[in-house]
Amino acid sequence: MAVDERFARDFEDSAEEQVLGTRNEIITGPVSDWSTDFSHLEPEWAADPYPIQDDLRQRCPIAHTDRFGGGWLPVRYEDVAAVAYDTDRFSSRSIIMGNFRPPRDIAPIGGSPPISSDPPFHHDARKLLLPAFTKTAVTRQEPATRAYCHALIDAFDGQDVVDAAADYAQHIPMRVIADMMGFPPEDGPQFRRFVENTLEGVNLQPEERIERMQALFEYILDQVHDHLDNPRDDLTTYLINAELYGSKLTADHVTGAMVLLLIAGIDTSWSAIGSSLWHLAKTPADRERLMADRGLLPTAMEEFLRAYAPVTMARLVKDDMHWHGVDMKADDWILLSFPAANRDPAQFDRAAEVVIDREVNRHAAFGLGIHRCLGSHLARMELRVALEVWLDRIPEFSLADPGAVTWSAGQIRGPRTLPLRIG
Amino acid sequence: MRVRIDSEKCQGHGRCYDLAPELFGDDEEGFGQVLGDGKVTPDTENQARLAVANCPERAIELIEES
């Protein structure tokens, strides 16, 4: 068995100790007023956040909540962009808004670099990963992705109604990221649990949340040890061997980055593929137009990314300050809603409509500034291939039961149940 | 006219090399690069305008040459 002292038993023990930080009371239940008591974890937000955001944009436009220990929700493009660009005043040391704030001294590295990192460390941690995620690099995954999409549709054989979220969309990014990381492809169902625990388990009791997060770190450590014993050409071996400032990465950096790549790569693309199919299933005119003019797909895809942007990020305010008309306190959350920015009429004509031939579309679905989604080229490849294969194989489809469609709660939004009639 | 990328603003979204592949390429980290001298011809003018209009970081400029 290969030995790498960084990942020895005492690292595992220390990783299992809960890090210092602050916890606040968990508050759940119906929202009284979205401008003073918002929560992205309530069912109303999950079902349809856009009317809420549109209303706030008219009357607020930076909402507040006392939940999660206090936080703010800007809904104008201008404010969302200003937060994204201002890494001096807003920290990424936690990017999941919940009831736990990691200690301040975890910055500028954070728990899952580079998404949790601030400058100057952020730049160097990100630089390590950029070459693996360029458009050219991810093109190498395209043939396998296409073949896998076909295999998923082959498995629909004989069914009139299929769940396009559970039986198609979710599997595509899981398989692609498992291949890139060098994880066993059959581990997909575990990934789903990890993703749901991390992103949707925000309001669980601390003990349960910690226990579930530990299961994820144990899985990642098992994969590290497997790669130490059998190094291979994948991102896990790459991270184990990568160097920064003349030495190998710390164990926390390696495992944190692996957690990031696994979690961030799945829920997001799954949501984008699902939302696009949901839109086409309920909008026959757009589906027919795309079938008649397949060259429109790249443009339509960007519009789906704008209108149904899956990803909302979070930041923590560094110091007390008066900012864009509100008094922010140190360690207040900012819920950084790229979906809300993407529907701001001050930035987009016909912002509330889905216009599949929208040629000018400066949307922020993949974020703005230094934290631009590392996997954006991979996500676009997965979304394009998933839609191309679906449209080739299943040109006619519709919502089998609109009331049965369910959406994920929290910062990543997309369909989790999507029954489509394909017969 | 010529196209220009402000490398301080570019974050590697890649909209320019998606929409205007005759004018832009990517470097080994995915940041946009102007191909050659960046000269825009009547054939590539529409591509150039799309790249400018779709860059999320507003990092691309069309420069009129005197």
Side-chain angles (χ1 to χ4, degrees):
Chain A
M1 182 158 168
V3 175
D4 184 326
E5 285 177 5
R6 289 177 296 164
F7 304 100
R9 208 9 90 174
D10 60 343
F11 164 72
E12 295 188 44
D13 291 343
S14 74
E16 284 173 11
E17 281 169 22
Q18 186 48 34
V19 287
L20 298 167
T22 52
R23 292 187 180 280
N24 54 264
E25 186 196 352
I26 299 168
I27 307 169
T28 58
V31 167
S32 56
D33 179 336
W34 284 91
S35 69
T36 55
D37 182 38
F38 75 83
S39 170
H40 58 304
L41 289 159
E42 294 304 315
E44 200 180 340
W45 179 273
D48 192 4
Y50 306 119
I52 299 169
Q53 295 165 1
D54 291 344
D55 172 56
L56 290 174
R57 209 179 287 110
Q58 301 273 338
R59 67 191 174 102
C60 220
I62 301 179
H64 184 262
T65 189
D66 288 327
R67 301 184 191 212
F68 314 106
W72 302 91
L73 169 63
V75 287
R76 292 191 305 198
Y77 177 94
E78 185 191 338
D79 292 332
V80 171
V83 173
Y85 286 124
D86 191 346
T87 54
D88 289 334
R89 282 183 278 200
F90 301 97
S91 171
S92 289
R93 82 175 203 269
S94 177
I95 37 76
I96 300 177
M97 180 172 170
N99 300 296
F100 171 73
R101 286 163 174 76
R104 288 190 149 216
D105 63 10
I106 201 174
I109 299 173
S112 46
I115 199 172
S116 62
S117 309
D118 291 326
F121 182 84
H122 167 269
H123 173 266
D124 303 324
R126 182 175 168 93
K127 198 174 168 68
L128 288 175
L129 290 168
L130 282 170
F133 288 94
T134 62
K135 189 178 178 185
T136 311
V138 304
T139 300
R140 291 196 284 276
Q141 309 295 326
E142 183 167 335
T145 306
R146 191 173 296 279
Y148 188 55
C149 290
H150 277 289
L152 289 169
I153 290 179
D154 290 342
F156 293 166
D157 192 32
Q159 299 175 69
D160 291 336
V161 175
V162 297
D163 186 335
D167 298 334
Y168 189 66
Q170 74 160 319
H171 296 293
I172 298 160
M174 280 179 187
R175 172 63 69 95
V176 172
I177 203 68
D179 283 354
M180 291 179 76
M181 307 284 293
F183 297 172
E186 64 274 14
D187 288 354
Q190 293 192 62
F191 302 166
R192 177 173 184 156
R193 270 203 312 281
F194 296 150
V195 165
E196 287 173 347
N197 291 340
T198 307
L199 297 163
E200 298 190 42
V202 165
N203 275 339
L204 291 171
Q205 291 302 317
E207 304 74 37
E208 195 173 357
R209 184 150 172 81
I210 290 165
E211 195 178 305
R212 291 181 179 199
M213 293 303 285
Q214 271 174 13
L216 166 58
F217 271 90
E218 276 161 27
Y219 177 84
I220 293 290
L221 264 176
D222 287 347
Q223 295 305 320
V224 167
H225 284 290
D226 179 57
H227 282 74
L228 288 170
D229 292 342
N230 306 291
R232 41 204 193 261
D233 181 17
D234 57 33
L235 284 169
T236 302
T237 295
Y238 172 77
L239 280 166
I240 290 170
N241 294 330
E243 293 190 5
L244 197 55
Y245 315 126
S247 17
K248 288 194 170 179
L249 305 180
T250 64
D252 285 336
H253 187 156
V254 172
T255 54
M258 288 171 69
V259 166
L260 164 63
L261 297 180
L262 181 66
I263 301 298
I266 293 176
D267 228 19
T268 48
S269 295
W270 171 10
S271 296
I273 296 165
S275 297
S276 302
L277 290 173
W278 172 76
H279 176 85
L280 291 171
K282 75 181 180 73
T283 321
D286 284 349
R287 184 175 51 76
E288 283 156 19
R289 188 166 171 206
L290 259 190
M291 289 307 301
D293 179 7
R294 290 288 295 273
L296 195 57
L297 185 62
T299 310
M301 217 176 85
E302 294 302 318
E303 178 66 347
F304 299 147
L305 286 167
R306 181 193 70 84
Y308 308 115
V311 181
T312 294
M313 290 306 301
R315 297 285 187 268
L316 284 165
V317 173
K318 283 194 187 172
D319 300 298
D320 292 2
M321 63 174 168
H322 191 69
W323 192 87
H324 291 206
V326 298
D327 287 310
M328 295 181 171
K329 300 276 177 237
D331 277 355
D332 278 353
W333 293 103
I334 305 290
L335 189 62
L336 194 56
S337 176
F338 297 114
N342 279 354
R343 285 174 176 251
D344 183 350
Q347 178 73 9
F348 300 94
D349 293 333
R350 301 163 71 193
E353 292 171 55
V354 177
V355 183
I356 63 168
D357 60 353
R358 189 187 293 272
E359 276 214 317
V360 174
N361 198 346
R362 194 180 262 133
H363 68 76
F366 294 107
L368 292 168
I370 65 167
H371 287 281
R372 185 270 302 168
C373 171
L374 177 72
S376 67
H377 300 286
L378 181 63
R380 281 190 166 105
M381 184 278 285
E382 291 173 348
L383 177 58
R384 177 175 49 78
V385 171
L387 294 178
E388 282 172 358
V389 173
W390 183 284
L391 293 173
D392 282 346
R393 298 283 302 272
I394 309 174
E396 302 263 339
F397 56 102
S398 58
L399 292 182
D401 177 3
V405 177
T406 63
W407 297 80
S408 53
Q411 286 179 224
I412 313 294
R413 182 175 185 271
R416 292 296 172 265
T417 318
L418 181 56
L420 297 186
R421 182 167 302 284
I422 61 170
Chain B
M1 283 185 298
R2 282 189 309 112
V3 284
R4 190 180 156 271
I5 295 182
D6 181 340
S7 60
E8 293 288 304
K9 289 185 179 171
C10 174
Q11 299 293 348
H13 291 261
R15 301 304 293 135
C16 58
Y17 47 84
D18 274 350
L19 292 164
E22 289 169 53
L23 294 168
F24 301 94
D26 62 344
D27 71 9
E28 67 282 3
E29 293 181 345
F31 293 102
Q33 299 277 296
V34 173
L35 298 177
D37 60 5
K39 216 168 174 61
V40 177
T41 64
D43 283 348
T44 57
E45 188 176 330
N46 191 45
Q47 280 190 23
R49 293 194 188 282
L50 279 178
V52 172
N54 283 283
C55 175
E57 309 289 349
R58 299 173 188 268
I60 302 173
E61 274 183 296
L62 253 184
I63 303 162
E64 301 279 348
E65 291 185 319
S66 50

